[in-house]
Amino acid sequence: SWPVLAGLLWIAAKNHGRLEVIDFGGSLGSGYFQMRKFLNEFDVIWHIVEQPAFVDIGKREFESDRLRFHFSLEECPRREVPMVLLLASTIQYLENPFTFLRNAFQMDFEYCIFDRTSFLLDAPDRITLQIVPPDIYEASYPCWFFNLPKFKQFCSQFMTLVEEFRNSDVWNVPDSVFMGMIYSRSKDRKE
């Protein structure tokens, strides 16, 4: 995701090349591996918080000085650098997304980046059923589509919106859009 990469590079540049990312729901590091060649010149530590099976495999097969795997947000160690919470196509799959966000925003994250998040432009929050095509694998998942103004208003109680961007994902939900947003605790306002 080019907008996410731009946000991470912007944050690293503001912090003398130091960056610590907590990628909540980051699988086995796909986001890290996609962006690593652009981040290699910086002092970056990328934490992934995932389900136990992913963490076990990640620790065994992929963990390094720069890529680490954890079972929860709380167990991620903290350095003296601004922390970035990355939620890339994750928040809409949580049972209680606003409770999660309220708790996460009360932690010491300086920045929060959303990517590939499903929104409705002018309708109330809606729970849908995502059905995976059987040629990929057979599964279905509950998935939220958030009312965009309500979501932004909720987040603005805790952080300042710096930028927002559209993603190319498309679903068959009328009036829906996939978007990303970059939030900061400081006064970096969207112009």
Side-chain angles (χ1 to χ4, degrees):
S1 173
W2 294 110
V4 171
L5 178 61
L8 293 174
L9 292 172
W10 172 70
I11 295 165
K14 288 177 58 133
N15 293 285
H16 312 289
R18 299 180 73 203
L19 179 67
E20 192 148 359
V21 176
I22 296 184
D23 186 354
F24 186 84
S27 187
L28 293 173
S30 53
Y32 167 78
F33 288 113
Q34 289 169 4
M35 296 183 210
R36 123 178 113 165
K37 85 176 188 180
F38 299 100
L39 298 173
N40 270 343
E41 301 303 314
F42 298 97
D43 178 16
V44 175
I45 300 210
W46 195 286
H47 301 276
I48 292 178
V49 175
E50 253 302 351
Q51 299 171 56
F54 283 90
V55 173
D56 293 339
I57 292 168
K59 285 181 173 294
R60 188 173 61 245
E61 302 291 331
F62 299 104
E63 195 161 78
S64 67
D65 290 346
R66 295 180 81 141
L67 179 63
R68 301 175 185 164
F69 292 83
H70 308 280
F71 296 100
S72 70
L73 288 177
E74 293 77 19
E75 78 172 44
C76 294
R78 304 295 199 260
R79 299 188 304 164
E80 295 300 316
V81 297
M83 300 288 288
V84 179
L85 176 60
L86 175 59
L87 298 163
S89 191
T90 304
I91 192 73
Q92 63 262 41
Y93 294 103
L94 299 180
E95 184 176 357
N96 297 300
F98 290 102
T99 301
F100 170 85
L101 284 175
R102 184 179 309 283
N103 293 336
F105 284 146
Q106 291 173 357
M107 299 175 84
D108 59 352
F109 299 108
E110 183 65 26
Y111 302 92
C112 182
I113 299 177
F114 296 94
D115 190 32
R116 298 178 55 227
T117 304
S118 48
F119 293 103
L120 296 169
L121 299 175
D122 192 27
D125 293 346
R126 177 177 165 194
I127 189 85
T128 63
L129 184 64
Q130 177 183 347
I131 300 172
V132 179
D135 58 321
I136 298 175
Y137 63 92
E138 290 197 28
S140 61
Y141 305 98
C143 178
W144 287 99
F145 277 72
F146 303 110
N147 173 273
L148 181 59
K150 176 186 161 196
F151 188 89
K152 288 166 63 173
Q153 182 180 20
F154 177 86
C155 293
S156 69
Q157 296 175 77
F158 306 94
M159 301 181 106
T160 301
L161 179 64
V162 176
E163 192 57 71
E164 60 187 83
F165 48 92
R166 291 226 176 170
N167 299 122
S168 60
D169 299 47
V170 176
W171 280 12
N172 61 348
V173 175
D175 262 348
S176 67
V177 63
F178 280 76
M179 292 182 61
M181 299 170 201
I182 300 171
Y183 281 89
S184 170
R185 284 202 196 276
S186 66
K187 301 298 179 204
D188 300 310
R189 267 203 197 279
K190 182 176 189 261
E191 298 293 328

